Amino acid sequence: MNFAFVFPGQGSQSVGMMGAYGESAVIRQAFTEASDALGEDLWQMVLEGPAEVLAQTVNTQPLMLTAGVAVYREWIARGGVVPALVAGHSLGEYSALVAAGSLELTEAVRLVRLRAQAMQEAVPQGEGAMAALLGLDEDAAIEACAEAAQGDVVSAANLNSPGQIVIAGSKAAVERAITVAKARGAKRAVLLPVSAPFHCALMKPAAERLSVRLAEIELKTPAIPVLNNVDVAVEDRPERIKDALVRQAYSPVRWIETVREIARRGSTHLFECGPGKVLAGMTKRIEGSLQGGAIADAASLEEILKTTGGV
């Protein structure tokens, strides 16, 4: 079986989410490594919350990175087959790079903490916004943004699935885009409760800070092909991987194309590796030829191990 793993990003976190996988020394070790790297107890944070703490970008990013890597390590420890391809939604791309052996977990968790801080500080609180446009196709969403911009920044940020596009930019422009989108036939267009306008041009100052930090980090050639968000391409040269990560911060997450490319490259199954089932749900709406599901708990891990021929 030719299958791919995809790793979730922000939005899939929940208090106690790792409890679904039962007692696992492998998972706990991953959290210990990440906690030691940050000097902060991530396991206690995810165990007890509260939800408001988990939702803070500076916490969400290292937590979800570690969670995805921890579940992948458990998969391998249980005799799971190495996937033919990996990818991740936004932050999840960092989990994919760790799983592929390109980036060390301890380095990655410090990197995404900086990424989160840089994104949070790039735009003053309250000046940026994101909104979900439902029932509007990609072209119509882009046209709505162009009409609403009026000299401000507003653009497609997450191209999640057909009829589910997230936009980001200055708050006034996003609010105008909501009005335009509704006039163009969107079933729903609503502001999202986020702390910063991710994946738009307002994130360029954050990308610059990320670039400086990435220049200091050693990346290895991935042992598994990693399909990136920004170009929907596989890169094996560390410098090109770094460049793609920098541009990812202020560019749209091209998830529809990513999932279709996974199928085009020969995968018949796609499995979400980590807490939640958001990406697995999107897959069904994007590419009907792909089968799969989510390794969202101990039972699904066991079932998918059997499906893929694991021990």
Side-chain angles (χ1 to χ4, degrees):
M1 178 192 293
N2 189 316
F3 67 93
F5 270 8
V6 294
F7 294 86
Q10 289 188 229
S12 291
Q13 72 278 357
S14 63
V15 176
M17 62 187 178
M18 302 313 296
Y21 298 95
E23 291 293 327
S24 164
V26 172
I27 287 175
R28 284 296 301 271
Q29 177 58 31
F31 271 84
T32 297
E33 287 178 30
S35 296
D36 289 348
L38 291 181
E40 189 172 5
D41 192 341
L42 296 182
W43 184 259
Q44 199 67 23
M45 188 185 296
V46 79
L47 193 67
E48 298 183 354
E52 293 77 14
V53 172
L54 264 64
Q56 292 172 13
T57 299
V58 292
N59 294 326
T60 309
Q61 294 201 24
L63 282 172
M64 287 305 300
L65 165 79
T66 307
V69 171
V71 174
Y72 182 76
R73 287 185 179 181
E74 178 70 4
W75 168 266
I76 295 298
R78 294 280 300 277
V81 178
V82 174
L85 184 72
V86 292
H89 189 283
S90 185
L91 167 73
E93 189 169 313
Y94 290 81
S95 303
L97 286 165
V98 176
S102 179
L103 185 58
E104 295 292 335
L105 174 59
T106 52
E107 196 71 82
V109 78
R110 288 190 289 260
L111 179 63
V112 301
R113 170 59 64 83
L114 178 141
R115 177 181 185 264
Q117 290 170 336
M119 286 179 150
Q120 188 65 65
E121 294 166 5
V123 180
Q125 192 75 29
E127 291 189 13
M130 298 184 78
L133 309 183
L134 305 179
L136 208 62
D137 66 28
E138 181 180 335
D139 289 342
I142 291 171
E143 289 168 4
C145 288
E147 182 179 333
Q150 298 178 21
D152 292 329
V153 170
V154 61
S155 60
N158 296 342
L159 306 170
N160 284 334
S161 65
Q164 185 186 336
I165 310 297
V166 174
I167 62 173
S170 67
K171 188 175 182 182
V174 169
E175 289 172 342
R176 289 194 296 268
I178 287 174
T179 301
V180 174
K182 287 178 178 176
R184 287 174 175 264
K187 293 178 182 177
R188 288 186 68 204
V190 294
L191 285 170
L192 297 176
V194 296
S195 56
F198 305 119
H199 297 293
C200 74
L202 296 178
M203 289 292 108
K204 285 191 175 181
E208 290 171 6
R209 289 175 62 183
L210 186 61
S211 178
V212 171
R213 183 70 187 95
L214 277 165
E216 302 168 349
I217 294 175
E218 179 187 1
L219 262 62
K220 298 176 183 176
T221 299
I224 309 168
V226 180
L227 191 62
N228 70 34
N229 288 180
V230 70
D231 300 317
V232 193
V234 171
E235 300 288 358
D236 56 11
R237 289 165 49 194
E239 292 310 310
R240 291 182 66 88
I241 294 170
K242 290 180 181 181
D243 175 67
L245 289 175
V246 171
R247 289 184 290 118
Q248 187 222 58
Y250 60 82
S251 302
V253 176
R254 297 164 61 185
W255 196 249
I256 299 171
E257 294 171 84
T258 297
V259 171
R260 289 174 177 164
E261 180 65 11
I262 286 171
R264 192 193 71 78
R265 286 173 174 262
S267 288
T268 56
H269 291 67
L270 181 153
F271 300 110
E272 182 172 0
C273 184
K277 302 178 181 179
V278 173
L279 301 183
M282 288 180 189
T283 300
K284 297 173 184 177
R285 297 192 295 272
I286 296 170
E287 181 52 65
S289 70
L290 282 171
Q291 300 181 53
I295 306 175
D297 52 33
S300 55
L301 190 151
E302 185 68 31
E303 181 183 345
I304 292 170
L305 274 172
K306 294 175 182 176
T307 300
T308 56
V311 177

